[in-house]
Amino acid sequence: MNRLKTLLCAASASAILAVSGAASAKDLVIHAGTLIDGVSRTERQHVSIRVHDDRIVAIEDGFTTPAGAEVIDLSDKTVMPGLIDAHVHLTLQLGKGPQQLMAVTNSSFDNAMSGVANARTTLLAGFTSVRDVGGDTPVVVALRKAQKNGTIEGPRMWVSGHILGPTGGHGDASHGFDPELTKPSWSEGIVDGPEEALKKVRQMYHDGVDLIKIVPSGGVASVGDDPNAQLMTDAEIKTIVDTAHTLHMKVAAHAHGKQAIDHASDIGVDSIEHGTFADAESYAIMKKRGTYLVPTLIAGETVYNFARNHPELLSPSVAEKALAVAPRMASNAYNAWKSGVKIAFGTDAGVYQHGLNAQEFALMVKAGIPAMDTIIAATSSAADLIGDSADIGSIQPGRYADFVATDADPVKDITQLQHVSFVMQGGRVYKKDGQIVP
Ligand SMILES: [Zn+2]
């Protein structure tokens, strides 16, 4: 994202530190009993990870203790990179009340407040980085800024802001309401035709988003639109992809139906979110184009359970769609993985309760994907999709000192990731021995 902005920020920050002389360098060494580095599929035993300030500086065999370094003893734990969820909605929460009532009683300010709380919950669950793919643009941009400057605790964020889509599509929040009823934010992401799409992408870039999220097919948790139908034209998708890529922004495409998946992948979106009704032909296109699949199995399971047990919480037509779509998601994830499609871990947090993100691992393993592959999906693969492998997603020199640790090996028991006992982000410990560090 905005590499230039990052460089400028880094440059001015180091200038300030140099002038004030207030920077106190900190050296740490982590003794990792077992190490999963996020890149290799082989675990290593008895490794020392040396950290200077917020970055990893060296990985060494055996337990070494450099002079002056603080030792963090995780010699009986499995240490891995901080986890990455490539599909969250930090400012949203489904299921807290009837969906349509929530839509007209929650303000952007309410969403901002819950976003602050959800960000902290997500970090403490071991997710040190997220890609937020849908929320009010000014709110999520402010949330990212607040995390970056240390005002709030939360994962590092890459945010899309408003999702872009057509009138009557998955991004049209006014669908199903009295047409006289409206909120400014409801029409913020509506684009009809390539001209509107072009202008909107440039506007979003100007407003500070890191990536663009589009909805080429209908969705499940929205009123009236058909998940199987391609609702954006190829020309609209292409304009958005070309404009976003020119501005060094990636494009995430929500798509359930095969046509939308195939067309969006072929046009060059960077990821397909959900991807429910993909088939062998879709996988071939995705492989050829290098498109990631972000499976979001926990979202499918959650809306399915809502539809079965609490349909009154969902808008009319949503329950029916959930029952039709959700059962296909797990087998699709497995088939995509088996076909060699790149998988990035993503959960749709906000559809289910924030902080339970790691349940996705168990669902992926249950679908047939090997545990180590699900960990790679949530570390180096998610970082690659985000476009910042130089900073996150692996335990290698130069990366941020973002780590989690589990008491037992998650490759043997994937549910270990649902209760990580240690969380570090940028060299600061947030959780140790399962306890929150104030
Ligand atoms: Zn989503």
Side-chain angles (χ1 to χ4, degrees), residues 52-82:
H52 181 71
D53 290 342
D54 61 348
R55 299 270 180 177
I56 301 165
V57 291
I59 324 287
E60 291 161 350
D61 285 326
F63 294 146
T64 60
T65 306
E70 178 192 337
V71 177
I72 295 183
D73 181 10
L74 301 176
S75 58
D76 60 348
K77 314 250 185 265
T78 300
V79 179
M80 67 206 88

PDB file of all heavy atoms in Angstrom, residues 52-82:
ATOM      1  N   HIS A  52      15.319  -6.396  17.566  1.00  0.00           N
ATOM      2  CA  HIS A  52      15.787  -5.062  17.956  1.00  0.00           C
ATOM      3  C   HIS A  52      14.631  -4.097  17.733  1.00  0.00           C
ATOM      4  O   HIS A  52      14.120  -3.977  16.610  1.00  0.00           O
ATOM      5  CB  HIS A  52      17.008  -4.657  17.128  1.00  0.00           C
ATOM      6  CG  HIS A  52      17.543  -3.300  17.492  1.00  0.00           C
ATOM      7  ND1 HIS A  52      18.195  -3.056  18.679  1.00  0.00           N
ATOM      8  CD2 HIS A  52      17.482  -2.107  16.848  1.00  0.00           C
ATOM      9  CE1 HIS A  52      18.538  -1.775  18.736  1.00  0.00           C
ATOM     10  NE2 HIS A  52      18.116  -1.180  17.643  1.00  0.00           N
ATOM     11  N   ASP A  53      14.200  -3.422  18.791  1.00  0.00           N
ATOM     12  CA  ASP A  53      13.012  -2.553  18.742  1.00  0.00           C
ATOM     13  C   ASP A  53      11.816  -3.339  18.194  1.00  0.00           C
ATOM     14  O   ASP A  53      11.421  -4.308  18.793  1.00  0.00           O
ATOM     15  CB  ASP A  53      13.290  -1.284  17.939  1.00  0.00           C
ATOM     16  CG  ASP A  53      14.249  -0.358  18.689  1.00  0.00           C
ATOM     17  OD1 ASP A  53      14.401  -0.527  19.912  1.00  0.00           O
ATOM     18  OD2 ASP A  53      14.854   0.515  18.051  1.00  0.00           O
ATOM     19  N   ASP A  54      11.306  -2.960  17.030  1.00  0.00           N
ATOM     20  CA  ASP A  54      10.076  -3.613  16.550  1.00  0.00           C
ATOM     21  C   ASP A  54      10.326  -4.609  15.429  1.00  0.00           C
ATOM     22  O   ASP A  54       9.377  -5.114  14.837  1.00  0.00           O
ATOM     23  CB  ASP A  54       9.045  -2.559  16.104  1.00  0.00           C
ATOM     24  CG  ASP A  54       9.545  -1.699  14.954  1.00  0.00           C
ATOM     25  OD1 ASP A  54      10.765  -1.755  14.647  1.00  0.00           O
ATOM     26  OD2 ASP A  54       8.732  -0.980  14.348  1.00  0.00           O
ATOM     27  N   ARG A  55      11.616  -4.907  15.152  1.00  0.00           N
ATOM     28  CA  ARG A  55      11.921  -5.784  14.006  1.00  0.00           C
ATOM     29  C   ARG A  55      12.751  -7.004  14.413  1.00  0.00           C
ATOM     30  O   ARG A  55      13.541  -6.949  15.347  1.00  0.00           O
ATOM     31  CB  ARG A  55      12.724  -5.010  12.951  1.00  0.00           C
ATOM     32  CG  ARG A  55      12.016  -3.802  12.367  1.00  0.00           C
ATOM     33  CD  ARG A  55      11.216  -4.151  11.143  1.00  0.00           C
ATOM     34  NE  ARG A  55      10.549  -2.964  10.590  1.00  0.00           N
ATOM     35  CZ  ARG A  55       9.819  -2.970   9.483  1.00  0.00           C
ATOM     36  NH1 ARG A  55       9.662  -4.086   8.790  1.00  0.00           N
ATOM     37  NH2 ARG A  55       9.228  -1.878   9.058  1.00  0.00           N
ATOM     38  N   ILE A  56      12.594  -8.073  13.621  1.00  0.00           N
ATOM     39  CA  ILE A  56      13.435  -9.262  13.776  1.00  0.00           C
ATOM     40  C   ILE A  56      14.795  -8.967  13.143  1.00  0.00           C
ATOM     41  O   ILE A  56      14.849  -8.450  12.021  1.00  0.00           O
ATOM     42  CB  ILE A  56      12.796 -10.470  13.049  1.00  0.00           C
ATOM     43  CG1 ILE A  56      11.398 -10.752  13.608  1.00  0.00           C
ATOM     44  CG2 ILE A  56      13.694 -11.701  13.141  1.00  0.00           C
ATOM     45  CD1 ILE A  56      10.560 -11.672  12.721  1.00  0.00           C
ATOM     46  N   VAL A  57      15.881  -9.288  13.865  1.00  0.00           N
ATOM     47  CA  VAL A  57      17.197  -9.048  13.267  1.00  0.00           C
ATOM     48  C   VAL A  57      17.945 -10.340  12.938  1.00  0.00           C
ATOM     49  O   VAL A  57      18.793 -10.347  12.050  1.00  0.00           O
ATOM     50  CB  VAL A  57      18.095  -8.135  14.137  1.00  0.00           C
ATOM     51  CG1 VAL A  57      17.546  -6.712  14.151  1.00  0.00           C
ATOM     52  CG2 VAL A  57      18.228  -8.654  15.560  1.00  0.00           C
ATOM     53  N   ALA A  58      17.644 -11.431  13.642  1.00  0.00           N
ATOM     54  CA  ALA A  58      18.372 -12.674  13.348  1.00  0.00           C
ATOM     55  C   ALA A  58      17.609 -13.883  13.885  1.00  0.00           C
ATOM     56  O   ALA A  58      16.859 -13.772  14.870  1.00  0.00           O
ATOM     57  CB  ALA A  58      19.771 -12.625  13.970  1.00  0.00           C
ATOM     58  N   ILE A  59      17.806 -15.014  13.227  1.00  0.00           N
ATOM     59  CA  ILE A  59      17.273 -16.299  13.683  1.00  0.00           C
ATOM     60  C   ILE A  59      18.481 -17.211  13.870  1.00  0.00           C
ATOM     61  O   ILE A  59      19.277 -17.348  12.943  1.00  0.00           O
ATOM     62  CB  ILE A  59      16.349 -16.956  12.619  1.00  0.00           C
ATOM     63  CG1 ILE A  59      15.512 -15.921  11.855  1.00  0.00           C
ATOM     64  CG2 ILE A  59      15.532 -18.092  13.200  1.00  0.00           C
ATOM     65  CD1 ILE A  59      14.397 -15.305  12.592  1.00  0.00           C
ATOM     66  N   GLU A  60      18.606 -17.808  15.063  1.00  0.00           N
ATOM     67  CA  GLU A  60      19.790 -18.630  15.331  1.00  0.00           C
ATOM     68  C   GLU A  60      19.394 -19.981  15.890  1.00  0.00           C
ATOM     69  O   GLU A  60      18.434 -20.077  16.666  1.00  0.00           O
ATOM     70  CB  GLU A  60      20.699 -17.910  16.355  1.00  0.00           C
ATOM     71  CG  GLU A  60      21.351 -16.649  15.794  1.00  0.00           C
ATOM     72  CD  GLU A  60      21.848 -15.713  16.896  1.00  0.00           C
ATOM     73  OE1 GLU A  60      21.522 -15.946  18.080  1.00  0.00           O
ATOM     74  OE2 GLU A  60      22.547 -14.755  16.560  1.00  0.00           O
ATOM     75  N   ASP A  61      20.147 -21.015  15.533  1.00  0.00           N
ATOM     76  CA  ASP A  61      19.914 -22.343  16.107  1.00  0.00           C
ATOM     77  C   ASP A  61      20.344 -22.348  17.566  1.00  0.00           C
ATOM     78  O   ASP A  61      21.333 -21.705  17.930  1.00  0.00           O
ATOM     79  CB  ASP A  61      20.715 -23.396  15.332  1.00  0.00           C
ATOM     80  CG  ASP A  61      20.070 -23.688  13.978  1.00  0.00           C
ATOM     81  OD1 ASP A  61      18.820 -23.638  13.899  1.00  0.00           O
ATOM     82  OD2 ASP A  61      20.808 -23.941  13.008  1.00  0.00           O
ATOM     83  N   GLY A  62      19.617 -23.100  18.388  1.00  0.00           N
ATOM     84  CA  GLY A  62      19.948 -23.198  19.814  1.00  0.00           C
ATOM     85  C   GLY A  62      19.441 -21.980  20.569  1.00  0.00           C
ATOM     86  O   GLY A  62      18.968 -21.006  19.979  1.00  0.00           O
ATOM     87  N   PHE A  63      19.548 -22.066  21.904  1.00  0.00           N
ATOM     88  CA  PHE A  63      19.100 -20.944  22.738  1.00  0.00           C
ATOM     89  C   PHE A  63      20.291 -20.060  23.068  1.00  0.00           C
ATOM     90  O   PHE A  63      21.139 -20.421  23.886  1.00  0.00           O
ATOM     91  CB  PHE A  63      18.450 -21.468  24.026  1.00  0.00           C
ATOM     92  CG  PHE A  63      17.163 -22.214  23.765  1.00  0.00           C
ATOM     93  CD1 PHE A  63      16.803 -23.298  24.552  1.00  0.00           C
ATOM     94  CD2 PHE A  63      16.306 -21.832  22.728  1.00  0.00           C
ATOM     95  CE1 PHE A  63      15.618 -23.986  24.326  1.00  0.00           C
ATOM     96  CE2 PHE A  63      15.112 -22.512  22.489  1.00  0.00           C
ATOM     97  CZ  PHE A  63      14.770 -23.593  23.288  1.00  0.00           C
ATOM     98  N   THR A  64      20.385 -18.920  22.427  1.00  0.00           N
ATOM     99  CA  THR A  64      21.486 -17.994  22.659  1.00  0.00           C
ATOM    100  C   THR A  64      20.970 -16.788  23.449  1.00  0.00           C
ATOM    101  O   THR A  64      19.797 -16.455  23.375  1.00  0.00           O
ATOM    102  CB  THR A  64      22.085 -17.493  21.323  1.00  0.00           C
ATOM    103  OG1 THR A  64      21.053 -16.823  20.586  1.00  0.00           O
ATOM    104  CG2 THR A  64      22.594 -18.645  20.477  1.00  0.00           C
ATOM    105  N   THR A  65      21.872 -16.159  24.193  1.00  0.00           N
ATOM    106  CA  THR A  65      21.475 -14.980  24.969  1.00  0.00           C
ATOM    107  C   THR A  65      22.502 -13.877  24.775  1.00  0.00           C
ATOM    108  O   THR A  65      23.512 -13.826  25.482  1.00  0.00           O
ATOM    109  CB  THR A  65      21.353 -15.330  26.470  1.00  0.00           C
ATOM    110  OG1 THR A  65      20.460 -16.447  26.601  1.00  0.00           O
ATOM    111  CG2 THR A  65      20.804 -14.149  27.257  1.00  0.00           C
ATOM    112  N   PRO A  66      22.270 -12.998  23.813  1.00  0.00           N
ATOM    113  CA  PRO A  66      23.211 -11.896  23.584  1.00  0.00           C
ATOM    114  C   PRO A  66      23.248 -10.974  24.798  1.00  0.00           C
ATOM    115  O   PRO A  66      22.217 -10.794  25.473  1.00  0.00           O
ATOM    116  CB  PRO A  66      22.615 -11.157  22.380  1.00  0.00           C
ATOM    117  CG  PRO A  66      21.541 -12.043  21.837  1.00  0.00           C
ATOM    118  CD  PRO A  66      21.102 -12.940  22.937  1.00  0.00           C
ATOM    119  N   ALA A  67      24.427 -10.407  25.066  1.00  0.00           N
ATOM    120  CA  ALA A  67      24.576  -9.510  26.227  1.00  0.00           C
ATOM    121  C   ALA A  67      23.587  -8.357  26.145  1.00  0.00           C
ATOM    122  O   ALA A  67      23.410  -7.754  25.098  1.00  0.00           O
ATOM    123  CB  ALA A  67      26.010  -8.969  26.265  1.00  0.00           C
ATOM    124  N   GLY A  68      22.904  -8.106  27.245  1.00  0.00           N
ATOM    125  CA  GLY A  68      21.996  -6.956  27.319  1.00  0.00           C
ATOM    126  C   GLY A  68      20.604  -7.217  26.786  1.00  0.00           C
ATOM    127  O   GLY A  68      19.733  -6.356  26.892  1.00  0.00           O
ATOM    128  N   ALA A  69      20.390  -8.408  26.206  1.00  0.00           N
ATOM    129  CA  ALA A  69      19.069  -8.680  25.633  1.00  0.00           C
ATOM    130  C   ALA A  69      18.138  -9.287  26.675  1.00  0.00           C
ATOM    131  O   ALA A  69      18.554 -10.122  27.479  1.00  0.00           O
ATOM    132  CB  ALA A  69      19.204  -9.621  24.441  1.00  0.00           C
ATOM    133  N   GLU A  70      16.900  -8.853  26.656  1.00  0.00           N
ATOM    134  CA  GLU A  70      15.882  -9.448  27.530  1.00  0.00           C
ATOM    135  C   GLU A  70      15.456 -10.788  26.928  1.00  0.00           C
ATOM    136  O   GLU A  70      15.185 -10.881  25.725  1.00  0.00           O
ATOM    137  CB  GLU A  70      14.683  -8.498  27.622  1.00  0.00           C
ATOM    138  CG  GLU A  70      13.547  -9.033  28.477  1.00  0.00           C
ATOM    139  CD  GLU A  70      12.250  -8.218  28.315  1.00  0.00           C
ATOM    140  OE1 GLU A  70      12.323  -7.037  27.906  1.00  0.00           O
ATOM    141  OE2 GLU A  70      11.187  -8.796  28.583  1.00  0.00           O
ATOM    142  N   VAL A  71      15.413 -11.832  27.755  1.00  0.00           N
ATOM    143  CA  VAL A  71      15.038 -13.156  27.249  1.00  0.00           C
ATOM    144  C   VAL A  71      13.547 -13.390  27.458  1.00  0.00           C
ATOM    145  O   VAL A  71      13.031 -13.186  28.564  1.00  0.00           O
ATOM    146  CB  VAL A  71      15.838 -14.274  27.965  1.00  0.00           C
ATOM    147  CG1 VAL A  71      15.385 -15.650  27.464  1.00  0.00           C
ATOM    148  CG2 VAL A  71      17.333 -14.085  27.753  1.00  0.00           C
ATOM    149  N   ILE A  72      12.879 -13.820  26.393  1.00  0.00           N
ATOM    150  CA  ILE A  72      11.483 -14.243  26.524  1.00  0.00           C
ATOM    151  C   ILE A  72      11.470 -15.755  26.305  1.00  0.00           C
ATOM    152  O   ILE A  72      11.795 -16.234  25.214  1.00  0.00           O
ATOM    153  CB  ILE A  72      10.585 -13.511  25.518  1.00  0.00           C
ATOM    154  CG1 ILE A  72      10.585 -12.018  25.866  1.00  0.00           C
ATOM    155  CG2 ILE A  72       9.173 -14.096  25.531  1.00  0.00           C
ATOM    156  CD1 ILE A  72       9.698 -11.162  25.016  1.00  0.00           C
ATOM    157  N   ASP A  73      11.162 -16.468  27.375  1.00  0.00           N
ATOM    158  CA  ASP A  73      11.289 -17.922  27.356  1.00  0.00           C
ATOM    159  C   ASP A  73      10.012 -18.592  26.839  1.00  0.00           C
ATOM    160  O   ASP A  73       9.026 -18.717  27.564  1.00  0.00           O
ATOM    161  CB  ASP A  73      11.618 -18.412  28.776  1.00  0.00           C
ATOM    162  CG  ASP A  73      11.787 -19.933  28.811  1.00  0.00           C
ATOM    163  OD1 ASP A  73      11.830 -20.556  27.723  1.00  0.00           O
ATOM    164  OD2 ASP A  73      11.860 -20.493  29.928  1.00  0.00           O
ATOM    165  N   LEU A  74      10.065 -19.017  25.599  1.00  0.00           N
ATOM    166  CA  LEU A  74       8.953 -19.776  25.014  1.00  0.00           C
ATOM    167  C   LEU A  74       9.479 -21.153  24.601  1.00  0.00           C
ATOM    168  O   LEU A  74       9.077 -21.719  23.593  1.00  0.00           O
ATOM    169  CB  LEU A  74       8.360 -19.024  23.808  1.00  0.00           C
ATOM    170  CG  LEU A  74       7.805 -17.618  24.092  1.00  0.00           C
ATOM    171  CD1 LEU A  74       7.350 -16.945  22.797  1.00  0.00           C
ATOM    172  CD2 LEU A  74       6.647 -17.664  25.087  1.00  0.00           C
ATOM    173  N   SER A  75      10.443 -21.663  25.426  1.00  0.00           N
ATOM    174  CA  SER A  75      11.139 -22.894  25.063  1.00  0.00           C
ATOM    175  C   SER A  75      10.238 -24.123  25.136  1.00  0.00           C
ATOM    176  O   SER A  75      10.598 -25.184  24.628  1.00  0.00           O
ATOM    177  CB  SER A  75      12.376 -23.077  25.946  1.00  0.00           C
ATOM    178  OG  SER A  75      11.976 -23.109  27.309  1.00  0.00           O
ATOM    179  N   ASP A  76       9.067 -23.986  25.795  1.00  0.00           N
ATOM    180  CA  ASP A  76       8.134 -25.120  25.802  1.00  0.00           C
ATOM    181  C   ASP A  76       6.915 -24.842  24.916  1.00  0.00           C
ATOM    182  O   ASP A  76       5.888 -25.487  25.047  1.00  0.00           O
ATOM    183  CB  ASP A  76       7.698 -25.439  27.241  1.00  0.00           C
ATOM    184  CG  ASP A  76       6.992 -24.266  27.904  1.00  0.00           C
ATOM    185  OD1 ASP A  76       7.041 -23.138  27.353  1.00  0.00           O
ATOM    186  OD2 ASP A  76       6.384 -24.468  28.979  1.00  0.00           O
ATOM    187  N   LYS A  77       7.058 -23.856  24.017  1.00  0.00           N
ATOM    188  CA  LYS A  77       5.911 -23.484  23.178  1.00  0.00           C
ATOM    189  C   LYS A  77       6.265 -23.610  21.684  1.00  0.00           C
ATOM    190  O   LYS A  77       7.435 -23.769  21.323  1.00  0.00           O
ATOM    191  CB  LYS A  77       5.506 -22.026  23.438  1.00  0.00           C
ATOM    192  CG  LYS A  77       5.419 -21.657  24.913  1.00  0.00           C
ATOM    193  CD  LYS A  77       3.988 -21.432  25.346  1.00  0.00           C
ATOM    194  CE  LYS A  77       3.881 -20.955  26.782  1.00  0.00           C
ATOM    195  NZ  LYS A  77       3.650 -22.042  27.739  1.00  0.00           N
ATOM    196  N   THR A  78       5.210 -23.502  20.866  1.00  0.00           N
ATOM    197  CA  THR A  78       5.410 -23.400  19.417  1.00  0.00           C
ATOM    198  C   THR A  78       5.198 -21.942  19.028  1.00  0.00           C
ATOM    199  O   THR A  78       4.158 -21.365  19.313  1.00  0.00           O
ATOM    200  CB  THR A  78       4.417 -24.297  18.653  1.00  0.00           C
ATOM    201  OG1 THR A  78       4.618 -25.647  19.062  1.00  0.00           O
ATOM    202  CG2 THR A  78       4.638 -24.189  17.153  1.00  0.00           C
ATOM    203  N   VAL A  79       6.228 -21.368  18.416  1.00  0.00           N
ATOM    204  CA  VAL A  79       6.199 -19.943  18.056  1.00  0.00           C
ATOM    205  C   VAL A  79       6.010 -19.819  16.549  1.00  0.00           C
ATOM    206  O   VAL A  79       6.621 -20.560  15.778  1.00  0.00           O
ATOM    207  CB  VAL A  79       7.516 -19.253  18.487  1.00  0.00           C
ATOM    208  CG1 VAL A  79       7.515 -17.774  18.095  1.00  0.00           C
ATOM    209  CG2 VAL A  79       7.732 -19.409  19.993  1.00  0.00           C
ATOM    210  N   MET A  80       5.156 -18.897  16.153  1.00  0.00           N
ATOM    211  CA  MET A  80       4.948 -18.664  14.715  1.00  0.00           C
ATOM    212  C   MET A  80       4.689 -17.191  14.469  1.00  0.00           C
ATOM    213  O   MET A  80       4.538 -16.421  15.426  1.00  0.00           O
ATOM    214  CB  MET A  80       3.809 -19.548  14.199  1.00  0.00           C
ATOM    215  CG  MET A  80       2.444 -19.213  14.724  1.00  0.00           C
ATOM    216  SD  MET A  80       1.352 -20.651  14.707  1.00  0.00           S
ATOM    217  CE  MET A  80       1.761 -21.318  16.326  1.00  0.00           C
ATOM    218  N   PRO A  81       4.650 -16.788  13.184  1.00  0.00           N
ATOM    219  CA  PRO A  81       4.408 -15.369  12.910  1.00  0.00           C
ATOM    220  C   PRO A  81       3.043 -14.953  13.436  1.00  0.00           C
ATOM    221  O   PRO A  81       2.127 -15.782  13.522  1.00  0.00           O
ATOM    222  CB  PRO A  81       4.423 -15.291  11.378  1.00  0.00           C
ATOM    223  CG  PRO A  81       5.118 -16.528  10.909  1.00  0.00           C
ATOM    224  CD  PRO A  81       4.827 -17.567  11.945  1.00  0.00           C
ATOM    225  N   GLY A  82       2.871 -13.681  13.767  1.00  0.00           N
ATOM    226  CA  GLY A  82       1.550 -13.153  14.090  1.00  0.00           C
ATOM    227  C   GLY A  82       0.605 -13.512  12.957  1.00  0.00           C
ATOM    228  O   GLY A  82       0.985 -13.460  11.787  1.00  0.00           O
TER     229      GLY A  82
END
